[in-house]
Amino acid sequence: MDPPARPRRVPALSLLLALLLLASSSPAARAWKKDEFRNCNQTPFCKRARTRAPLSLDAGSLAVSPDGSLTASLSHPSRLRPLLLRLSSLPPHALRLQIDEDYSANTPQHRRFHVPDVLLPDVEARTLHLSQPKTAAGVSTFALSSDVDVVVKHDPFELTVRRAGSGDPVLSFNSHGLFDFEPLQESKPEGETWEEHFRSHTDSCPRGPQSITFDVSFHGADFVYGLPEHGSTSLALRPTRGPGVEESEPYRLFNLDVFEYLHESPFGLYGSIPFMIAHGDGASSGFFWLNAAEMQIDVLAPGWDGAASPQDGRIDTLWMAEAGVVDAFFFVGSEPKDVIKQYISVTGTPSMPQQFAVAYHQCRWNYRDEEDVAGVDSGFDEHDIPYDVLWLDIEHTDGKRYFTWDHSAFPNPEEMQRKIADKGRKMVTIVDPHIKRDSSFHLHEEATSKGYYVKDATGKDFDGWCWPGASSYPDMLNPEIREWWADKFSYENYKGSTPTLYIWNDMNEPSVFNGPEVTMPRDAIHYGDVEHRELHNAYGYYFHMATADGLVKRGKGKDRPFVLSRAFFAGSQRYGAVWTGDNSADWDHLKSSIPMVLTLGLTGMTFSGADVGGFFGNPEPDLLVRWYQVGAFYPFFRGHAHHDTKRREPWLFGERRTALMREAIHMRYSLLPYYYTLFREASVTGVPVMRPLWLEFPDDKETYNNGEAFMVGSSLLAQGIYEDGQKSVSVYLPGKVLWYDLRNGSPYKGSVSHKLEVSEDSIPSFQRTGTIVPRKDRFRRSSTQMVNDPYTLVIALNSSSAAEGELYVDDGKSYDYQQGAFIHRRFVFADNKLTSMNIAPKNGGNKKFSTECVIERIIILGLPSGLKKAIVEPGNHKVEIELGPVSLRSGSASVAPTVRKPNVRVVDDWTIRIE
């Protein structure tokens, strides 16, 4: 959600300013204003870095230190202070590179900022002991693993990660000599100007220029991906500089409150993850830079350096950051999933959500009052549309004071929540980081007295403008303040909250309406005398962390939290979900949502989605239908809208469109067992729920830049309809396998593009042969009411008449699964026999979980004709095989062989033999 006004200064609170705020809230004033945000030429460190000449550094004094890392000094005659380099290894093939200034000769007033609490706490403990490097002719080589070497060239300094057997390079650092590291200065040299200006704002830059620049090359790569968040209809990152590039602007990583963002732009949005993945024919690699300052990254087009014959299969990139240190990781994998798993091994796996959070969420800025909430809730029931969560935006509070209620509109919040909870549903309220500066507001008074606010450059509590007017911001870098914030979510402190109320963190970039680029000034001061410029991109991460910890504390460590955050950083996946922010109700934004969500998944943030229907504007009814049909596949599935838009609950667009949206939501609910199983996989491996095609088909080049189709897990493929009035669509189905239409079971060949007639009732969606997908086909009001319902298994046999799949089940809410309280089954169909086996580890813990749920239907696609019965063992129970529909949508034909009511329990071992 975004502000209706962007005043550049904070005058006294006055009627005039209030009128200006209201006047600028009209839709006509809401267009994206490019001049409010800096481009590279207006960003001094970026402009310097792009024009800087190569610098030749010498790496000397290489030695293995007692902790097993390799250390060296980096020096240049023009630099008074050398740099310290440290190389260390993490299994299986990860290299960590750290470069900082050498402080051994003196103790400076300020040191460069190292981002805390992002890497997993055991990363250092997992560091492997490096062997002594072999050095010859100014080059040192050491083994990173049995099949990966690291080569360090001393003068000029260059680092290469290569395959040990072939010697083929995979990643290289500073191979173009573009590394630079502006040293911190204790005082400003005479005649030098450090201040920076943008529009009406001045950044005092009290510590001078301190940027870092270097080049990274990805060898054997066809494309590079990652670097969220920016709007794009391309999954692969396009070149930003060099031959053939029309608009030369780098990818910007700087968390910003951008309203009505462009669907196609390298400008930064709400979150930043400085992680890039490269993939090509038979090669995958990744690079992650742990740095929370603003970054600008160029993807350099072939020939950018004037080379007459650019090297094939190599993509060069230029990384630029305003401040911080080099703390970078190089990942090498045999396939892209290996690279993702290595990144996750240092930043953490995604948290396992509660089951309700995987279902459908209904939101609007704002549902007006308790009567409105009750009406929306009953509207879903009246129209047979399930939903699980109803959301309240900022207007539910008392004057934008968070942790409060507007008692005229919401006089009985606990009773309201209980009525919703009686149907198995939950509610979410918004809690933003800006605290209203009001002496009568206890939260502000407490934060002020304890000194818990971020300070401005003069040392006073920072005072900025946001929804409540004059506001201050808790200093979330400080662990003590995060602990204090977490306590605010207790039932005692958050009056009117109940166990079924969860939280939404918005505006946590942090957004400051009158700040430079609508954010906090870079020279604001945080805990430990850290400048805001050094940690800006991680502020929302720390806020998200503190809020999630608060919900865990509220539930005494028993209940998993649900917290949605707009801002994010590397590691945010450990604390909850994110969404793509304030999109618009147009077809381009629907289309760009797919590569945006896919990119988030590739960089750890698997629990993500886009506002269905678009936040700004009024979607055409057909667009809204198509968005529900796509959004039903997002990992995070929520409808949301701006308060200036028309109401758009799914039943307000006529009976036919209501039926289409109902069917899309029903489809999501039927697939909840499959989605929940995928979230379990993500929480263990980091492999995302929603995936690019090439993640499952890494050798199929046709998939490498397909940003329109996507996989859900390894079994399902879908592609949206992204144009109004589209009559046909071309869908590429990868792999040398068959794919079955989810609607009717029709088979389609793989490795072929199919021109399909567009149907209004669904988007193209398919199940891959060789897979088994669990479903629940009885529709209830909410997912909670489906807990005891029976399962359906959909088996798609491959050319060997075989298939397999998994089902994960736990209590859907607690942490007991961490102590073994879950069911994890693998289903295998082979030799005309379906077998269920337990794959939960035997030593998983001392708690148990069980269920009486049974499998009531088994649909078998591709079953040879002539097989008429099934024998269930144990028990030698005979069941007939009949033709039935693939889906339970109205009017579906009976086309698929179906085993009805085998009634085997999901918790048991059993076999069903087909004869």
Side-chain angles (χ1 to χ4, degrees):
M1 182 175 55
D2 279 289
R6 310 286 190 175
R8 289 189 291 271
R9 292 188 175 89
V10 183
L13 187 58
S14 65
L15 176 61
L16 175 61
L17 181 55
L19 291 172
L20 289 172
L21 284 166
L22 290 171
S24 62
S25 67
S26 66
R30 297 311 309 265
W32 186 75
K33 296 180 176 65
K34 184 176 181 179
D35 62 353
E36 285 193 359
F37 303 99
R38 303 200 302 186
N39 60 32
C40 181
N41 282 333
Q42 295 168 319
T43 307
F45 83 87
C46 184
K47 186 175 182 180
R48 290 195 305 272
R50 271 185 151 194
T51 57
R52 186 177 286 123
L55 181 69
S56 179
L57 289 168
D58 174 48
S61 305
L62 269 74
V64 176
S65 65
D67 66 1
S69 62
L70 182 71
T71 60
S73 64
L74 294 178
S75 59
H76 186 272
S78 67
R79 301 299 165 120
L80 297 177
R81 185 186 302 163
L83 302 173
L84 286 181
L85 174 148
R86 179 177 183 257
L87 292 170
S88 54
S89 171
L90 289 165
H93 331 277
L95 176 71
R96 186 178 186 182
L97 168 66
Q98 295 167 281
I99 302 176
D100 196 357
E101 297 187 46
D102 185 352
Y103 302 110
S104 60
N106 64 342
T107 303
Q109 181 181 357
H110 303 288
R111 293 194 178 211
R112 303 181 80 103
F113 179 60
H114 294 244
V115 184
D117 304 320
V118 169
L119 300 181
L120 292 178
D122 68 342
V123 166
E124 283 290 342
R126 287 188 279 122
T127 298
L128 301 177
H129 200 287
L130 294 174
S131 59
Q132 188 69 33
K134 299 176 181 179
T135 302
V139 175
S140 296
T141 306
F142 62 90
L144 187 63
S145 66
S146 60
D147 53 356
V148 178
D149 287 341
V150 177
V151 179
V152 179
K153 185 178 179 182
H154 296 197
D155 188 11
F157 166 64
E158 179 183 352
L159 185 151
T160 302
V161 181
R162 70 181 188 184
R163 305 281 181 188
S166 64
D168 293 336
V170 180
L171 292 149
S172 56
F173 179 92
N174 201 39
S175 57
H176 296 280
L178 299 179
F179 178 84
D180 197 23
F181 201 104
E182 295 179 322
L184 287 177
Q185 300 181 60
E186 295 299 314
S187 59
K188 182 164 54 178
E190 188 175 347
E192 226 177 83
T193 300
W194 285 355
E195 289 184 348
E196 296 179 2
H197 305 277
F198 179 68
R199 292 165 68 92
S200 64
H201 302 281
T202 298
D203 177 1
S204 61
C205 297
R207 300 168 195 178
Q210 50 183 296
S211 70
I212 302 171
T213 307
F214 52 76
D215 58 273
V216 176
S217 296
F218 298 86
H219 301 263
D222 291 337
F223 294 98
V224 288
Y225 313 86
L227 303 182
E229 185 175 40
H230 57 275
S232 180
T233 56
S234 171
L235 178 59
L237 295 169
R238 296 189 177 103
T240 60
R241 186 176 165 199
V245 178
E246 295 180 4
E247 293 187 24
S248 183
E249 195 63 40
Y251 290 100
R252 188 183 190 194
L253 295 185
F254 190 64
N255 293 6
L256 290 169
D257 178 1
V258 184
F259 54 101
E260 290 188 289
Y261 58 82
L262 299 179
H263 74 278
E264 197 77 74
S265 173
F267 282 99
L269 295 178
Y270 313 95
S272 300
I273 300 179
F275 175 43
M276 185 180 286
I277 301 176
H279 182 64
D281 189 9
S284 297
S285 60
F287 179 78
F288 166 53
W289 185 7
L290 177 57
N291 189 322
E294 178 181 355
M295 283 191 200
Q296 304 264 4
I297 299 102
D298 270 320
V299 176
L300 303 170
W304 68 273
D305 55 352
S309 301
Q311 184 176 333
D312 290 337
R314 188 188 77 196
I315 297 178
D316 298 323
T317 60
L318 179 66
W319 297 66
M320 304 162 273
E322 184 181 14
V325 297
V326 175
D327 192 354
F329 294 80
F330 302 78
F331 304 116
V332 179
S334 59
E335 63 172 13
K337 287 181 183 178
D338 292 340
V339 174
I340 293 172
K341 290 175 183 179
Q342 289 182 66
Y343 168 74
I344 290 297
S345 75
V346 298
T347 62
T349 54
S351 60
M352 184 67 187
Q354 289 201 39
Q355 183 161 296
F356 80 81
V358 184
Y360 177 62
H361 301 244
Q362 182 67 31
C363 185
R364 180 176 177 81
W365 179 24
N366 205 86
Y367 289 120
R368 297 181 301 269
D369 50 31
E370 291 178 3
E371 183 180 1
D372 198 6
V373 166
V376 171
D377 179 64
S378 63
F380 277 90
D381 297 337
E382 291 166 9
H383 294 88
D384 191 28
I385 302 174
Y387 89 100
D388 267 65
V389 193
L390 195 143
W391 295 53
L392 296 179
D393 213 315
I394 57 175
E395 311 303 335
H396 84 278
T397 62
D398 177 12
K400 313 300 189 296
R401 298 171 183 87
Y402 300 108
F403 304 102
T404 69
W405 301 85
D406 178 346
H407 288 294
S408 62
F410 298 94
N412 302 296
E414 293 179 57
E415 182 183 352
M416 173 183 66
Q417 293 164 62
R418 277 194 290 269
K419 288 179 179 178
I420 296 290
D422 285 345
K423 301 176 184 179
R425 292 166 177 160
K426 313 294 190 292
M427 293 192 72
V428 165
T429 53
I430 196 167
V431 177
D432 292 348
H434 45 263
I435 296 177
K436 184 180 180 70
R437 294 186 60 83
D438 179 350
S439 60
S440 66
F441 185 25
H442 66 91
L443 192 64
H444 168 64
E445 287 300 283
E446 185 179 351
T448 302
S449 65
K450 291 178 178 290
Y452 279 177
Y453 284 137
V454 177
K455 310 303 178 187
D456 65 20
T458 70
K460 298 177 181 178
D461 286 349
F462 174 73
D463 184 346
W465 198 266
C466 208
W467 291 123
S471 304
S472 290
Y473 298 71
D475 185 358
M476 290 298 172
L477 179 62
N478 187 336
E480 177 185 321
I481 298 174
R482 293 202 299 267
E483 188 76 11
W484 169 80
W485 183 259
D487 288 337
K488 300 307 167 192
F489 293 92
S490 70
Y491 302 122
E492 179 183 0
N493 288 324
Y494 191 175
K495 304 294 186 184
S497 65
T498 71
T500 58
L501 184 70
Y502 296 88
I503 301 299
W504 172 16
N505 290 161
D506 198 4
M507 315 297 284
N508 53 335
E509 293 75 28
S511 177
V512 181
F513 295 171
N514 62 318
E517 300 189 274
V518 202
T519 191
M520 189 173 283
R522 296 165 192 250
D523 54 6
I525 300 297
H526 291 261
Y527 172 69
D529 202 28
V530 175
E531 284 192 290
H532 186 71
R533 80 181 74 250
E534 300 175 276
L535 66 83
H536 171 80
N537 286 344
Y539 181 88
Y541 162 82
Y542 294 123
F543 189 73
H544 194 185
M545 175 198 296
T547 302
D549 287 348
L551 292 190
V552 173
K553 290 180 71 174
R554 181 189 78 174
K556 302 185 185 305
K558 297 179 181 179
D559 296 330
R560 300 172 225 166
F562 173 75
V563 182
L564 179 75
S565 174
R566 190 170 69 176
F568 55 85
F569 187 63
S572 288
Q573 67 269 13
R574 305 202 299 269
Y575 301 107
V578 301
W579 88 107
T580 62
D582 298 346
N583 57 357
S584 297
D586 60 53
W587 291 92
D588 287 335
H589 274 258
L590 169 60
K591 185 176 182 179
S592 69
S593 73
I594 299 304
M596 291 179 75
V597 172
L598 290 174
T599 297
L600 286 165
L602 288 172
T603 54
M605 293 304 309
T606 190
F607 201 4
S608 64
D611 283 344
V612 171
F615 178 66
F616 285 111
N618 296 304
E620 308 160 24
D622 289 344
L623 170 60
L624 185 60
V625 168
R626 291 303 188 195
W627 213 317
Y628 268 97
Q629 291 169 345
V630 170
F633 288 101
Y634 294 153
F636 176 60
F637 182 24
R638 180 183 76 156
H640 185 36
H642 189 275
H643 66 64
D644 284 342
T645 65
K646 298 175 183 177
R647 295 293 287 256
R648 62 168 84 147
E649 285 73 35
W651 54 86
L652 297 178
F653 298 88
E655 290 185 12
R656 177 56 183 160
R657 293 190 177 97
T658 296
L660 294 174
M661 288 184 271
R662 178 193 300 117
E663 187 171 317
I665 296 172
H666 276 175
M667 184 274 297
R668 172 55 168 256
Y669 274 76
S670 73
L671 288 173
L672 284 179
Y674 180 62
Y675 269 81
Y676 198 65
T677 301
L678 292 175
F679 271 101
R680 167 63 174 181
E681 179 186 359
S683 74
V684 173
T685 68
V687 176
V689 171
M690 183 170 159
R691 308 169 184 177
L693 304 188
W694 56 263
L695 202 61
E696 291 298 323
F697 299 91
D699 297 326
D700 190 338
K701 290 195 172 187
E702 293 297 319
T703 68
Y704 288 1
N705 196 23
N706 187 333
E708 296 187 1
F710 54 89
M711 300 289 297
V712 177
S714 60
S715 303
L716 303 183
L717 181 151
Q719 180 169 319
I721 302 300
Y722 306 118
E723 297 178 17
D724 187 18
Q726 195 170 349
K727 302 299 183 184
S728 64
V729 61
S730 178
V731 178
Y732 179 74
L733 297 176
K736 300 184 185 303
V737 296
L738 284 178
W739 296 81
Y740 287 102
D741 191 307
L742 287 188
R743 299 172 300 170
N744 54 36
S746 298
Y748 292 85
K749 289 183 178 180
S751 298
V752 175
S753 290
H754 299 270
K755 186 176 181 180
L756 304 176
E757 182 179 343
V758 168
S759 167
E760 71 167 357
D761 60 1
S762 64
I763 60 174
S765 49
F766 306 87
Q767 182 172 341
R768 177 185 183 178
T769 55
T771 65
I772 300 176
V773 173
R775 298 191 324 214
K776 283 195 173 186
D777 290 342
R778 296 186 184 181
F779 301 119
R780 310 289 188 181
R781 290 178 173 183
S782 65
S783 66
T784 306
Q785 296 186 347
M786 297 168 63
V787 166
N788 296 317
D789 285 348
Y791 290 85
T792 293
L793 296 182
V794 182
I795 302 174
L797 299 179
N798 61 18
S799 58
S800 301
S801 294
E804 65 177 64
E806 295 182 11
L807 173 66
Y808 173 84
V809 188
D810 60 25
D811 66 14
K813 56 186 178 182
S814 78
Y815 286 105
D816 286 355
Y817 72 93
Q818 295 178 344
Q819 301 176 57
F822 62 87
I823 298 165
H824 198 180
R825 310 296 300 184
R826 175 170 291 137
F827 305 114
V828 176
F829 191 100
D831 301 321
N832 286 342
K833 185 170 61 178
L834 175 64
T835 303
S836 172
M837 61 190 74
N838 178 30
I839 57 173
K842 292 182 180 179
N843 58 350
N846 57 9
K847 290 193 174 183
K848 303 298 180 184
F849 173 78
S850 189
T851 176
E852 295 301 314
C853 288
V854 300
I855 294 172
E856 70 167 352
R857 183 182 295 107
I858 300 171
I859 299 169
I860 308 175
L861 301 171
L863 186 70
S865 59
L867 300 174
K868 301 296 185 182
K869 65 179 179 179
I871 307 298
V872 180
E873 297 288 356
N876 195 32
H877 174 56
K878 181 181 176 182
V879 182
E880 297 297 322
I881 297 176
E882 305 171 0
L883 290 181
V886 176
S887 70
L888 297 186
R889 53 191 298 269
S890 177
S892 296
S894 295
V895 295
T898 303
V899 180
R900 297 184 184 275
K901 296 186 177 180
N903 291 336
V904 286
R905 297 200 316 162
V906 296
V907 73
D908 294 335
D909 292 344
W910 44 259
T911 296
I912 298 177
R913 189 171 68 255
I914 308 299
E915 298 179 347

